[in-house]
Amino acid sequence: MTERTPLLHYRLCTSVNESEPRSPPAGQAPERRPGSPRARPAGPQRQQKKLSTFFGVVIPTLLSMFSVVVFLRIGFVVGQSGLYQTIAMFLVAYFIISMTVLSVCAISTNGALDAGGAYYMISRALGPEFGGSIGLMFFLANVCGSALFVLGLVEAVMDTFGVPEDGTVAATSYQVLPSGYWWSLLYGTGILLLCLLVCLVGAHIYAKATFLIFLIVMVVLGTILISFFAVSPKTILLPSSSSSANGTGPGFPTTANFTGFKLDTLVGNLEADYVIDYTTKKMMTFATVFAVMFNGCTGIMAGSNMSGDLKNPSYSIPRGTITAVIFTFIIYNLLSVLAACTCDRVLLQRDYSFMRDINIWHPFVIVGVYSSTLSAAMSNLIGASRVLYALARDDLFGKVFSPAKKTSHSGNPWVSVLISWFCVQLVLFSGKLNTIASIVTIFFLLVYAAVDLACLALEWASAPNFRPTFRYFTWHTCVLGIIGCVVMMFLINAIYASASIAFMLLLLLLIHYLSPTSSWGYISQALIFHQVRKYLLMLDVRKDHVKFWRPQILLMVSNPRSSVGLITFINDIKKSGLYVLGHVQLGDLNTLPSDPLQSQYDSWLSLVDHLNIKAFVNLTLADSIHHGVQHLLFISGLGGMRPNTLVLGFYDNCSPNDRLNYPMSSSQSTNPSSLSQELEEPPLFHFASLRGSGDKQDSGEFEDGKVLGPEEYVAVIADAMKMLKNVVLARYFNNFDRSQALLPSSSSPGKGGVFVDVWPVNLLRPDSSSYVDTCSLFLLQLACILNMVRAWRKATLRLFLCVEEGRSVKGSEEKLGQLLKDLRIKAQVYPVPWDQVVALHWQRQGGWSRKQQSTDPSTDESAARAEEDENQDDYVNSFPSNATRLSDDYLSAVNKLILDQTRQPPAVRFLYLPRPPADTRGYTAYLQQLDLLTQDLGPTLLIHGVTPVITTDL
């Protein structure tokens, strides 16, 4: 006798017309690209939707759920678990599938479904990652399910026509088929070939015979129910393999009784009595029995995928699916109660074909088993091929599944059918399928959990377009369905459940990194939006504290082609804060046919992806750069996430370099041939060409094609400070390359290394040597933040302490060192005597004063006014009036002082930026002084802070 197998049935949720090959309508491509809108042929050629609820939903779902489990495994479940646990199993199983049915009805009534069933449903709701991973597992489950039903049919055939394996004389004259593993494999291969031929040539025959098969199954069920009442009690000969399952001793019965309705029989079948299964020789448990029983509860999504062929999908799918679920639940429990009341425990445990033996006419059950099993095996094979075809068509696994996209002229995916047939044939070699039954059950439970998760995510995202007509579900039912599925997975087999989840996550990561971007929509984006909006409302600016301050930066970019170095550097000092790339385009919307900025966002977002930075993009249209920056300072950000720091490129004559067309670093060779090759390549982004090197303009941080005057540039700085925004001016970042800047200097004598220099004193105010004002502390904070970034962690902070003779250098150094210790900033302090430099300044002041007194009769009045301005201005936050009298010699001396202190050039310098003068007439002189101060210093940041950003408190 061949080993009997636990059976599984899950029919792919495909419509009858999808199973039947059909040619595409005229004018319609036979294949639709992933994510593209559904092509709808016009006119009368479009197939009419004509299936009713009964034929379109109820019959497919019932045939999917009524497998051979109802004929061959009801006795197994009751005999092993007892009536109490059997009913409990059905309650648990149907609770799980009922929660999932609610989710299926909700999703399926929110839009028409396509081929692929659960795969299509999950992928379009949760995105390609979840859909692809679950879809592949759905394919494997259908493959194994088809193999299970083929071997189940072989078992039924061998029970009737097979020669006993123990070599005894056949009980009937028609038991002529040889028995054994290889013979069973041969029979299974033949049955599978029959299924393959039907799927390749005549799948429409199966589709048209669905109703006939349904009638046969219902008639057989009717005869079984009648037989429990009509057949008289009798003794039944047990299969020879069951009597010798545990040996050949006299303690193993060879016969069992069909007692009819007796109270003693019912009482004997109430409690559980787990024994060794005579077909697999393995001890049964609650989990293994539940795994077999649950196979008869699957198939709930058979009707939902037929929405395209239904007259009224939103009406038919919920009612048809729920009707089928309730009907099967009643039949399963009724059969369990009848079997427990009429059959001895021995009969239930040792003869899984007892329904045939007690039937009023034995061939009825045989016909029912054959028809339902063949139908289930064929539908699973068709289902597996349709899922594989859907996966291949969506290109989620690249070229691996690309051959499966081929179809015949009639639209039948014959390559997918062949691949599915081959996989089923491989499973047939296993022979013993108890293990496979558990794995497949776990796969289906995982698919159901994913459907519940998809519905839960759509509900939580509160997307306006998620408005299913079926409303009898809540997020509670989705959560209960997910919990139920996961719990039962681990109860059936914790190892297989863990492995399945790990396999799904591995596939998810693989698809995430390898598959192209789809246009289906990602539920993750809707969920992120929902949560971010909630947390933004909770982010109260009134509760901000200096301990949790972080830079939130608005970087003004004119043309990204020349600003790549600055963009990537500023990304390093944002410290997980808000980072916005701002751009001003000159123009007047009143004179333009449409907004020119909308077409530019894709290029800017592609730039963010290309540079691998975490930044937002904000573009504006204005009549001037000055007004455009004002707009962005006012409107950038949302709620508590608004820029607090403005970063500008420096106003100079540096020639911009195109770092997008020439991505090579400065250390790489740039021979003419390679440059010409780069020029021939198409640009990566649709940004304007750079300006000529001779134009007097900024270094690429403002709009090309419009000369930005120095007064307007300084006005932008002044506006930002009025709005209490910190200001950073970045110079010599045109060719900045972080990888090159972080290379230790080996050419200089002494110990090599990477340095970041900080000068926290206002060099344009020689009479001020304060290191503890708001601006100097802001410098220290930004330098410390840069040093906290992983790439800059090995850089050394060098803090330069400007001192004068006659003052205690050691005392000043200790005082600054204690401040750094309190601020938890690790830096090396270097005293810098600058008496000679300061002397140049005071010399200039004295000479200027005497000259003015001798030549200008109004000198006294001017000097008095200047002195009054000096007293009124705060020396920390104001640009002092005497700075307008700083000589070029003094500024050049300061510049030389900075250069002389660095035997080893730093990667970047941080300098103190004073406020612009209150008088706009001094803007040009102010900018010239900054230019002289930073001449040839290399990458330099001029920084002005307006708010406290650092604290010594815990």
Side-chain angles (χ1 to χ4, degrees):
M1 177 70 67
T2 56
E3 292 184 353
R4 305 193 186 202
T5 57
L7 302 171
L8 170 71
H9 179 57
Y10 190 91
R11 180 170 180 239
L12 174 70
C13 315
T14 51
S15 66
V16 173
N17 288 327
E18 283 174 337
S19 300
E20 177 182 352
R22 61 176 184 267
S23 57
Q28 180 182 354
E31 184 176 327
R32 185 169 54 90
R33 297 302 303 165
S36 63
R38 182 187 297 271
R40 295 187 178 272
Q45 292 182 347
R46 175 167 174 78
Q47 185 176 0
Q48 253 186 332
K49 297 180 180 181
K50 55 184 179 181
L51 291 179
S52 64
T53 301
F54 183 74
F55 288 97
V57 181
V58 175
I59 290 180
T61 306
L62 284 176
L63 285 179
S64 296
M65 300 184 72
F66 272 150
S67 62
V68 290
V69 171
V70 75
F71 300 114
L72 298 180
R73 287 301 181 264
I74 286 293
F76 163 77
V77 175
V78 177
Q80 296 284 347
S81 302
L83 184 60
Y84 289 155
Q85 289 193 14
T86 298
I87 295 177
M89 286 182 182
F90 280 116
L91 288 174
V92 171
Y94 272 83
F95 173 79
I96 293 173
I97 67 171
S98 296
M99 297 299 101
T100 306
V101 162
L102 297 179
S103 300
V104 169
C105 294
I107 298 178
S108 61
T109 58
N110 192 54
L113 301 181
D114 206 341
Y119 158 71
Y120 187 87
M121 192 179 300
I122 296 169
S123 63
R124 268 52 177 183
L126 295 183
E129 294 93 345
F130 271 99
S133 56
I134 293 294
L136 186 57
M137 300 179 74
F138 192 32
F139 165 74
L140 296 176
N142 277 278
V143 164
C144 296
S146 181
L148 282 168
F149 289 119
V150 168
L151 290 178
L153 182 54
V154 170
E155 175 190 332
V157 170
M158 295 306 296
D159 281 346
T160 306
F161 302 104
V163 175
E165 290 186 25
D166 55 5
T168 59
V169 180
T172 59
S173 59
Y174 47 81
Q175 287 183 314
V176 294
L177 294 179
S179 301
Y181 168 79
W182 292 105
W183 285 107
S184 297
L185 179 62
L186 178 62
Y187 304 148
T189 302
I191 294 171
L192 184 59
L193 283 174
L194 176 62
C195 296
L196 174 65
L197 291 176
V198 172
C199 294
L200 287 176
V201 181
H204 59 286
I205 299 175
Y206 166 74
K208 293 179 180 178
T210 300
F211 182 62
L212 178 60
I213 295 174
F214 171 74
L215 290 179
I216 293 174
V217 172
M218 290 298 106
V219 170
V220 173
L221 278 177
T223 61
I224 290 174
L225 293 175
I226 294 173
S227 297
F228 280 111
F229 297 92
V231 175
S232 302
K234 61 180 179 178
T235 300
I236 299 174
L237 181 64
L238 296 177
S240 58
S241 61
S242 68
S243 62
S244 60
N246 301 315
T248 57
F252 300 96
T254 58
T255 60
N257 297 321
F258 173 73
T259 64
F261 288 93
K262 282 189 178 181
L263 182 60
D264 293 340
T265 304
L266 175 61
V267 173
N269 290 325
L270 291 178
E271 302 295 335
D273 182 19
Y274 293 105
V275 297
I276 295 177
D277 177 19
Y278 76 92
T279 64
T280 59
K281 313 300 188 293
K282 293 182 180 180
M283 187 66 186
M284 292 293 100
T285 62
F286 178 90
T288 55
V289 174
F290 180 84
V292 176
M293 182 277 303
F294 190 79
N295 297 332
C297 304
T298 57
I300 56 176
M301 287 183 274
S304 61
N305 209 45
M306 300 184 66
S307 59
D309 300 286
L310 299 173
K311 292 180 181 178
N312 191 346
S314 61
Y315 177 88
S316 299
I317 291 176
R319 288 163 177 80
T321 305
I322 294 174
T323 300
V325 169
I326 293 175
F327 182 76
T328 55
F329 178 74
I330 293 173
I331 293 297
Y332 278 133
N333 281 276
L334 180 59
L335 289 176
S336 300
V337 172
L338 293 176
C341 292
T342 58
C343 300
D344 281 344
R345 178 64 66 99
V346 175
L347 178 62
L348 297 177
Q349 290 179 341
R350 299 190 178 277
D351 186 5
Y352 299 157
S353 302
F354 76 97
M355 288 186 180
R356 179 194 61 191
D357 299 326
I358 68 170
N359 199 272
I360 54 177
W361 189 50
H362 294 178
F364 267 139
V365 176
I366 296 175
V367 172
V369 170
Y370 290 179
S371 60
S372 62
T373 309
L374 188 62
S375 169
M378 200 178 306
S379 64
N380 274 267
L381 180 61
I382 293 174
S385 65
R386 294 305 187 269
V387 174
L388 182 62
Y389 172 68
L391 284 168
R393 191 175 57 177
D394 288 339
D395 289 326
L396 296 183
F397 294 92
K399 297 182 179 179
V400 178
F401 291 156
S402 57
K405 291 190 288 187
K406 294 183 179 179
T407 60
S408 64
H409 293 293
S410 59
N412 187 29
W414 61 274
V415 177
S416 296
V417 174
L418 288 176
I419 295 175
S420 303
W421 164 79
F422 179 74
C423 294
V424 175
Q425 183 64 53
L426 290 180
V427 178
L428 288 181
F429 280 95
S430 63
K432 299 179 181 180
L433 295 178
N434 256 355
T435 302
I436 296 178
S438 299
I439 293 175
V440 175
T441 301
I442 288 173
F443 278 3
F444 279 123
L445 284 170
L446 194 57
V447 171
Y448 290 167
V451 173
D452 289 319
L453 178 63
C455 188
L456 177 66
L458 290 170
E459 178 69 11
W460 275 356
S462 300
N465 283 323
F466 181 63
R467 43 179 184 270
T469 56
F470 181 84
R471 297 301 303 171
Y472 297 99
F473 77 101
T474 65
W475 67 268
H476 303 85
T477 61
C478 300
V479 170
L480 288 175
I482 295 172
I483 295 175
C485 291
V486 173
V487 168
M488 292 313 304
M489 284 169 56
F490 282 91
L491 282 180
I492 291 171
N493 193 308
I495 297 177
Y496 291 158
S498 302
S500 299
I501 294 175
F503 180 59
M504 184 195 73
L505 294 177
L506 181 63
L507 287 173
L508 190 148
L509 293 175
L510 181 68
I511 298 173
H512 177 74
Y513 286 107
L514 297 182
S515 68
T517 303
S518 73
S519 58
W520 307 336
Y522 295 82
I523 189 63
S524 58
Q525 297 301 307
L527 290 173
I528 290 171
F529 178 89
H530 184 72
Q531 292 302 112
V532 167
R533 182 190 64 85
K534 180 191 300 183
Y535 287 122
L536 275 175
L537 292 172
M538 296 170 60
L539 190 61
D540 192 344
V541 294
R542 295 169 295 183
K543 298 179 182 179
D544 285 346
H545 195 279
V546 67
K547 289 190 298 185
F548 307 110
W549 180 89
R550 67 181 72 235
Q552 303 195 78
I553 298 173
L554 171 62
L555 170 62
M556 295 305 304
V557 180
S558 169
N559 195 323
R561 296 185 178 279
S562 63
S563 307
V564 171
L566 181 57
I567 292 173
T568 53
F569 177 79
I570 297 301
N571 186 66
D572 286 339
I573 65 172
K574 70 180 187 303
K575 188 55 179 176
S576 302
L578 179 67
Y579 185 20
V580 180
L581 300 180
H583 173 73
V584 179
Q585 178 165 329
L586 298 180
D588 186 359
L589 193 60
N590 292 331
T591 62
L592 298 172
S594 62
D595 183 7
L597 301 178
Q598 297 304 316
S599 59
Q600 299 181 20
Y601 272 101
D602 284 344
S603 292
W604 284 85
L605 294 176
S606 298
L607 173 74
V608 170
D609 295 337
H610 174 70
L611 298 179
N612 194 25
I613 61 175
K614 298 178 180 178
F616 299 94
V617 175
N618 207 347
L619 312 179
T620 189
L621 190 69
D623 57 352
S624 69
I625 302 297
H626 186 191
H627 291 158
V629 178
Q630 283 183 350
H631 295 169
L632 293 178
L633 287 173
F634 277 123
I635 67 173
S636 293
L638 191 63
M641 295 189 68
R642 290 184 177 277
N644 55 31
T645 303
L646 174 67
V647 181
L648 305 172
F650 197 77
Y651 191 97
D652 57 18
N653 283 323
C654 291
S655 299
N657 294 324
D658 193 336
R659 299 299 299 276
L660 290 181
N661 272 353
Y662 307 103
M664 62 188 73
S665 62
S666 57
S667 64
Q668 292 176 303
S669 173
T670 55
N671 56 70
S673 62
S674 63
L675 290 179
S676 62
Q677 182 179 359
E678 292 286 346
L679 286 172
E680 292 174 1
E681 293 181 358
L684 292 174
F685 309 98
H686 301 291
F687 297 121
S689 301
L690 293 174
R691 61 180 170 84
S693 58
D695 295 340
K696 173 68 179 177
Q697 199 174 339
D698 62 282
S699 61
E701 309 317 312
F702 283 99
E703 181 64 32
D704 291 334
K706 170 70 176 180
V707 176
L708 179 69
E711 295 84 359
E712 188 178 4
Y713 178 80
V714 179
V716 171
I717 301 173
D719 287 348
M721 295 181 183
K722 291 176 186 177
M723 300 168 67
L724 296 181
K725 306 292 184 183
N726 310 300
V727 177
V728 177
L729 305 183
R731 189 172 192 186
Y732 296 121
F733 279 87
N734 296 22
N735 299 315
F736 182 81
D737 187 337
R738 187 177 70 175
S739 60
Q740 297 297 321
L742 292 176
L743 291 177
S745 176
S746 58
S747 59
S748 302
K751 182 181 179 182
V754 180
F755 300 97
V756 175
D757 289 359
V758 182
W759 294 75
V761 66
N762 187 354
L763 298 174
L764 297 189
R765 181 69 187 256
D767 56 343
S768 169
S769 59
S770 173
Y771 288 91
V772 292
D773 60 39
T774 300
C775 188
S776 60
L777 292 179
F778 186 79
L779 257 75
L780 291 174
Q781 180 77 315
L782 283 189
C784 180
I785 288 174
L786 180 65
N787 199 215
M788 294 169 69
V789 177
R790 177 177 298 178
W792 293 86
R793 200 164 291 167
K794 294 183 179 180
T796 301
L797 292 184
R798 296 190 297 194
L799 189 61
F800 292 94
L801 175 64
C802 295
V803 295
E804 301 176 13
E805 291 183 359
R807 301 183 62 180
S808 174
V809 176
K810 185 176 181 180
S812 300
E813 188 175 354
E814 291 179 352
K815 186 176 180 181
L816 185 57
Q818 183 61 40
L819 174 64
L820 294 176
K821 183 178 180 181
D822 293 339
L823 297 177
R824 291 92 61 202
I825 297 176
K826 187 178 180 180
Q828 298 178 1
V829 179
Y830 293 88
V832 178
W834 69 330
D835 298 74
Q836 296 181 354
V837 176
V838 175
L840 287 175
H841 168 69
W842 293 120
Q843 259 185 339
R844 169 67 174 169
Q845 300 308 310
W848 181 89
S849 179
R850 286 191 298 273
K851 182 178 179 181
Q852 288 293 331
Q853 289 178 1
S854 62
T855 59
D856 191 349
S858 61
T859 298
D860 293 339
E861 182 180 353
S862 300
R865 185 168 60 252
E867 183 177 359
E868 181 181 356
D869 293 341
E870 175 77 13
N871 293 333
Q872 289 179 353
D873 289 338
D874 181 3
Y875 74 91
V876 173
N877 292 323
S878 300
F879 180 80
S881 57
N882 67 349
T884 59
R885 300 190 295 272
L886 290 174
S887 66
D888 291 350
D889 293 338
Y890 167 74
L891 294 171
S892 298
V894 173
N895 177 264
K896 186 175 184 301
L897 176 70
I898 296 174
L899 289 172
D900 291 344
Q901 300 305 316
T902 54
R903 295 179 180 177
Q904 295 170 310
V908 64
R909 288 183 174 89
F910 288 73
L911 301 184
Y912 192 113
L913 175 68
R915 276 182 176 270
D919 189 353
T920 58
R921 292 173 296 179
Y923 281 179
T924 303
Y926 170 80
L927 190 57
Q928 291 173 351
Q929 291 162 6
L930 295 180
D931 180 57
L932 287 174
L933 178 67
T934 58
Q935 191 73 37
D936 299 325
L937 290 185
T940 302
L941 295 181
L942 288 162
I943 301 172
H944 185 88
V946 296
T947 55
V949 297
I950 198 168
T951 178
T952 59
D953 297 336
L954 179 64

